[in-house]
Each structure stands twice: as structure tokens, then as C-alpha cells.
Amino acid sequence: MNVTTADLFDEYGYELASCETQFRSYGARARFAGPVATVRCHEDNALVKKVLATPGEGRVLVVDGGGSLRTALMGDLIAGSAVANGWTGVVINGAVRDVAALRDLDLGIRALGSNPRKSAKEGVGEVDVPVAFGGAGFRPGSWVYADEDGIVVADRRLA
Ligand SMILES: O=C([O-])CC(=O)C(=O)O
């Protein structure tokens, strides 16, 4: 990504949302951008694993885990599968694990925090539904831009 979220905001603030959630960065890519795919789930990561095992085609998976820090929705195996399948990034309104290994992966990763406790694997949740957190809505096909300042989302590709 060769534009900053601050520059995007200054130029297109009227048509983008800036996410207020204070995420931590875990992957090796500090900056990333791409079209959005979504999962909504609660302490169950089977759908996250399933979606990240499909071709990412440069997309960013936005996972609304309801802000729960009780279980990890992604670890190094699932994140490695995301890299292998061409995903650009994963934004998780929830927790990750295997933090030391995530650091080495060529993937943008944002999450609220970490927890070694694994998630359920039942597949409860929804794929490709609109999700919202931190005052920003993420719809499948919208564009997300993430850097050190935060995350912004727009209905169309801006840069
Ligand atoms: O399997 C899980 O629940 C998550 C995990 O640890 C991994 O992706 O390596």
C-alpha cells in the first residue's frame, strides 16, 4: 500500500469510515489494503479456517468475533493457510494465538489481543454478511486500508 490512511481520510473523508477500535498488529505486513470478505462468529473459528482455505485473490478477511478475547479465532496454521491462498490481510474483532509465529508471516494481521485458548470448531456463524465495529461498517466487496494509524473502509477502491 503506497498511500496512508491519514492521506485517504484527508482526501476522501466524506466517503469512508475510520474504525475507532484500537487493534494490535501481529503479521509481518504493517500496511495492507484490499477488497473485504467477512465472517461473523463467536468463539468458534471453523468458518474462519474454511474461508481462509479458499483463494483469497488479494482480499482482506474481516472477522467480527464480537470483541471476545476468551478464545483465539486464528493461530499460525490458519494464518499460514491464508498466506498460501493469497489473502492480503485478516482483521479480527477478537483474539489470535501463536503470536511469535504470526510475526513472521507475510500477512497483515490486526486483532484485539491474544489468548492461547482455542475456539470451538462447530462452524457456527455467518459468511459474507455485513459486519460493523468501532463505528465502521464492513461489507463484502468494500475496500479496507490498514496502516500504523488505523483502518479505514470505503464502498469503492480509492487507491
Ligand atoms: O486451530 C485453531 O484453532 C487456531 C490455531 O491454533 C491455528 O490456526 O494454528
Side-chain angles (χ1 to χ4, degrees):
M1 179 166 128
N2 47 18
V3 62
T4 68
T5 56
D7 285 346
L8 284 174
F9 194 90
D10 289 351
E11 191 165 351
Y12 301 103
Y14 58 92
E15 63 168 305
L16 58 73
S18 181
C19 184
E20 296 153 16
T21 306
Q22 298 299 300
F23 286 101
R24 295 181 187 188
S25 180
Y26 292 95
R29 277 192 205 178
R31 303 172 174 196
F32 57 96
V36 168
T38 69
V39 166
R40 182 190 292 132
C41 58
H42 183 71
E43 297 172 9
D44 183 322
N45 68 351
L47 292 177
V48 175
K49 180 175 181 178
K50 187 173 170 187
V51 170
L52 291 175
T54 66
E57 293 162 344
R59 286 175 297 165
V60 174
L61 182 64
V62 177
V63 180
D64 187 1
S68 172
L69 292 167
R70 197 172 160 270
T71 70
L73 291 175
M74 187 176 76
D76 64 335
L77 296 180
I78 295 175
S81 146
V83 173
N85 286 297
W87 290 83
T88 291
V90 183
V91 175
I92 300 181
N93 185 29
V96 291
R97 67 178 184 177
D98 306 319
V99 167
L102 296 184
R103 239 177 248 137
D104 295 332
L105 293 179
D106 184 21
L107 185 68
I109 303 174
R110 297 290 191 275
L112 299 177
S114 62
N115 191 328
R117 182 184 287 122
K118 70 180 175 187
S119 287
K121 318 280 175 206
E122 296 189 356
V124 178
E126 293 159 289
V127 175
D128 275 345
V129 291
V131 299
F133 46 83
F138 301 84
R139 290 186 305 101
S142 56
W143 270 73
V144 70
Y145 301 83
D147 67 7
E148 294 85 345
D149 282 345
I151 297 174
V152 297
V153 58
D155 283 344
R156 64 183 181 98
R157 183 177 192 167
L158 299 176

